[in-house]
Amino acid sequence: MVYKLPSLSYSYSALEPFFDKETMEIHYTKHHQNYVNNTNLIIDKINLKNISINELLSMIDVIPLSTLQRNFLRNNAGGHANHSFFWKILKKNTQPNDIIKEAIIKSFGSFKKFQKNFENIAINFFGSGWIWLIKKNSILSIVTTKNQYNPLMGKNVNGFFGYPIIALDLWEHAYYLKYQNQRSLYIKAFWNVLNWDAVQNLFLKSEL
Ligand code: MN
């Protein structure tokens, strides 16, 4: 299988003014494309075929590779998976419904507490990485991963495993053009473009 950029179900300007058109276009056509190209390069070398990107994430530790190749694959396959996930959970003007609200309140005490925790952890995260809401054993938790690591890569890589429900890209390339050094504004803007319908589907779909 050759990995491809997934098609977007909206235009680059669809998330304006929160996520700007220029950032969306560069992020998708340059950054994401680069992760796809690099993943294909190494997949071709080791002759791995017909493996979904999420399956690939869970096997990176057991594929025979040099440490250098393994890190390269982990970051690029992770980059492809993370961005593919991210684009799907973005949409303006959606609201959390009762199912997801109740699950969040059960795990965090209140919806406000969840948002505050998420914002604080995202603002204080050092360097490049991602913040996630993950589900495991019906419990929701907020976690971060460095580089392009993904919660599905598991304990050996991240110290935890979980099914992604929400993701926010914390790399500067995700916000620098519009927000420069003000990561907090980007994080607050995120609530306006988070697709709660998609989040709820992910919550219901992941069995654990
Ligand atoms: Mn990115």
Side-chain angles (χ1 to χ4, degrees):
M1 179 194 286
V2 175
Y3 297 107
K4 283 184 192 145
L5 264 190
S7 53
L8 291 183
S9 61
Y10 45 80
S11 68
Y12 299 130
S13 60
L15 307 171
E16 288 270 11
F18 308 106
F19 285 11
D20 62 295
K21 180 182 179 215
E22 196 183 6
T23 300
M24 285 300 293
E25 184 164 3
I26 294 171
H27 203 172
Y28 174 76
T29 62
K30 306 286 186 213
H31 292 276
H32 189 173
Q33 183 71 63
N34 200 39
Y35 298 122
V36 170
N37 296 347
N38 285 338
T39 304
N40 286 334
L41 261 180
I42 198 155
I43 287 301
D44 186 49
K45 251 193 212 164
I46 56 179
N47 209 17
L48 257 185
K49 282 181 186 136
N50 297 319
I51 294 177
S52 78
I53 189 68
N54 283 350
E55 255 182 285
L56 179 65
L57 295 189
S58 63
M59 340 173 5
I60 290 173
D61 276 341
V62 298
I63 302 171
L65 293 168
S66 69
T67 304
L68 207 67
Q69 283 177 317
R70 195 181 313 283
N71 288 338
F72 183 81
L73 180 60
R74 185 172 286 129
N75 277 314
N76 284 288
H80 177 36
N82 294 351
H83 289 87
S84 300
F85 182 93
F86 189 42
W87 309 136
K88 279 193 209 148
I89 58 144
L90 300 178
K91 190 181 179 184
K92 273 202 302 197
N93 302 321
T94 67
Q95 292 294 323
N97 74 2
D98 288 347
I99 295 172
I100 191 73
K101 254 191 181 163
E102 268 172 38
I104 284 173
I105 290 166
K106 208 175 133 198
S107 296
F108 298 95
S110 77
F111 196 80
K112 255 214 155 101
K113 268 191 195 165
F114 156 69
Q115 283 190 306
K116 197 101 204 107
N117 280 356
F118 189 95
E119 288 177 12
N120 284 339
I121 294 168
I123 288 165
N124 292 310
F125 182 83
F126 191 81
S128 297
W130 290 75
I131 182 166
W132 307 84
L133 180 69
I134 57 167
K135 184 181 175 194
K136 171 118 193 280
N137 301 328
S138 299
I139 304 287
L140 296 174
S141 26
I142 298 166
V143 295
T144 54
T145 56
K146 60 179 183 173
N147 304 327
Q148 290 295 351
Y149 298 176
N150 180 290
L152 296 174
M153 290 176 184
K155 277 198 170 170
N156 288 343
V157 175
N158 299 308
F160 59 83
F161 173 87
Y163 296 94
I165 306 293
I166 292 175
L168 178 62
D169 192 340
L170 297 179
W171 285 57
E172 280 189 346
H173 70 227
Y175 60 86
Y176 204 84
L177 282 176
K178 183 171 173 75
Y179 296 107
Q180 288 85 45
N181 60 321
Q182 295 171 290
R183 188 194 273 180
S184 64
L185 297 183
Y186 161 70
I187 292 160
K188 283 188 193 300
F190 174 59
W191 301 120
N192 296 291
V193 295
L194 177 56
N195 182 351
W196 284 104
D197 301 329
V199 169
Q200 188 201 297
N201 284 339
L202 286 159
F203 173 76
L204 294 173
K205 220 175 64 185
S206 55
E207 300 285 328
L208 293 170

